[in-house]
Amino acid sequence: MIEPVILVHGGAGDIPEWRVPLKMHGVRKAVKAGYEILSNTEGCVLDAVEAAIKVMEDDEAFNAGKGSVLTIKGTIEMDAIIMEGENLKTGAVAGLSNVAHPVTVARLVMDTTPHIFLAGPGANDFAMEKGVPFVPDDELITDFARQALEDFIHGKGEATSELGKESKYGTVGAVAIDRYGHMACATSTGGMTGKLPGRVGDTPLVGAGGYCDDASGACSATGHGESIARVCLCHHIIGLMQSGLGPKQATELALTNMHERTGGTAGAITLSNKGQVGIHFNSKRMAWAYAQNGEIHSGINPDEDEIESI
Ligand code: ASP
């Protein structure tokens, strides 16, 4: 038996000071929701990561579900992935609108179709056919996301000069291991402010925005999607672990390599199949939290680790 662990992130980027408490509250709440499921004997590791992601998709402090950032046309196009490590099953969606929980639609792709990835109108029709509630995009779009797009269009803010070089708004991700050693990962995002309609980032790409294999570990990424995808960041991290590195060293090395080769900034959370944690980001900040042995660890600035008991 293994001590269950769940580790989440709330997005890498240049997070402004006033958003810090909102994000910290959100990641701790998400990790508690997932840990409750893992602590239950019948709890399934996929249910745990999905529950943690749903908490953050409902929370406008994050760029996923409600609070998703907008395309250059002011529309919402959300991407998500979920993967399990026992049989390497995965499901993903891209360009989704009008749903509160893209991660649930990704899980339905995995559980109920022979496919791994549905995009655009096909993904939306699939969600409706599966009975996923329709949510008007107006209910998902926040004033903050509208303002971010205004700033982008008028040349203010970090993301203006170079699209998404430094995202500020917080994709969400989760990785977990249950008492039987089964692992899962999930990642969900609205993408980058001002993206072209139809743009798909790293998040729903297997091996880029997430990867999971019970034989080694689970990983979820956040940050500049084009850079993450070009180096298949999560698969790279898992590969480094397969060749003997621990999750901490593997995550740091892969992110350093990504930055050297692409110039992009990003972060990732990694869990080994022994329940060891790896957290690293080369952006200014990344909110994260994990629960293990009845304690929650969390942080947002480099080298931070606050501990509280559950
Ligand atoms: N990786 C996401 C994307 O490029 C954005 C983020 O993580 O903030 O779509």
Side-chain angles (χ1 to χ4, degrees):
M1 289 281 174
I2 289 191
E3 186 58 41
V5 190
I6 179 158
L7 164 63
V8 308
H9 70 72
D14 187 5
I15 299 158
E17 196 63 43
W18 67 272
R19 301 269 288 177
V20 168
L22 302 177
K23 287 198 183 277
M24 294 314 297
H25 177 260
V27 289
R28 289 193 193 111
K29 190 172 166 197
V31 106
K32 278 184 198 156
Y35 196 62
E36 202 173 302
I37 293 170
L38 284 182
S39 306
N40 175 334
T41 342
E42 299 312 315
C44 153
V45 70
L46 277 164
D47 293 341
V49 293
E50 184 183 348
I53 295 287
K54 283 169 78 172
V55 166
M56 295 186 282
E57 287 176 336
D58 283 338
D59 186 337
E60 5 181 315
F62 302 102
N63 169 21
K66 188 176 171 77
S68 286
V69 299
L70 306 178
T71 68
I72 195 70
K73 296 211 164 136
T75 53
I76 278 205
E77 295 187 0
M78 300 173 287
D79 304 337
I81 189 169
I82 192 163
M83 183 168 188
E84 60 84 47
E86 190 181 1
N87 300 301
L88 306 181
K89 289 203 277 183
T90 183
V93 285
L96 204 60
S97 54
N98 298 118
V99 301
H101 301 122
V103 70
T104 298
V105 186
R107 175 124 185 228
L108 285 166
V109 172
M110 178 177 81
D111 287 346
T112 71
T113 80
H115 309 306
I116 60 159
F117 193 168
L118 295 180
N124 263 89
D125 290 349
F126 169 76
M128 296 306 123
E129 275 159 29
K130 289 287 167 186
V132 173
F134 177 93
V135 179
D137 279 348
D138 275 353
E139 287 181 22
L140 301 173
I141 298 177
T142 58
D143 290 346
F144 188 73
R146 283 198 187 92
Q147 188 58 50
L149 182 61
E150 279 299 301
D151 290 351
F152 178 84
I153 290 167
H154 296 109
K156 293 189 214 150
E158 288 285 337
T160 51
S161 52
E162 200 175 349
L163 173 65
K165 192 76 179 162
E166 185 81 8
S167 154
K168 289 186 194 171
Y169 305 120
T171 289
V172 301
V175 290
I177 185 164
D178 67 17
R179 66 188 69 238
Y180 309 107
H182 293 314
M183 307 194 77
C185 70
T187 313
S188 179
T189 190
M192 312 293 294
T193 293
K195 67 184 180 180
L196 292 176
R199 177 262 189 188
V200 177
D202 61 302
T203 300
L205 307 180
V206 64
Y211 199 72
C212 179
D213 183 348
D214 281 4
S216 41
C219 184
S220 168
T222 169
H224 186 237
E226 282 70 8
S227 302
I228 294 169
R230 281 155 67 202
V231 299
C232 297
L233 185 67
C234 285
H235 193 265
H236 187 197
I237 291 170
I238 299 297
L240 290 170
M241 285 166 62
Q242 280 162 354
S243 57
L245 293 191
K248 193 170 179 307
Q249 300 101 304
T251 308
E252 280 179 26
L253 184 60
L255 280 162
T256 302
N257 177 64
M258 185 203 79
H259 185 66
E260 276 170 16
R261 299 301 305 275
T262 67
T265 55
I269 54 169
T270 311
L271 200 56
S272 79
N273 64 357
K274 302 200 171 42
Q276 302 150 309
V277 165
I279 300 159
H280 193 68
F281 48 98
N282 54 25
S283 52
K284 187 174 164 199
R285 289 180 161 136
M286 181 181 79
W288 59 267
Y290 71 90
Q292 185 175 33
N293 288 317
E295 282 182 339
I296 295 187
H297 293 245
S298 58
I300 191 163
N301 294 303
D303 301 322
E304 232 169 42
D305 186 0
E306 278 184 35
I307 307 173
E308 66 187 81
S309 41
I310 295 174

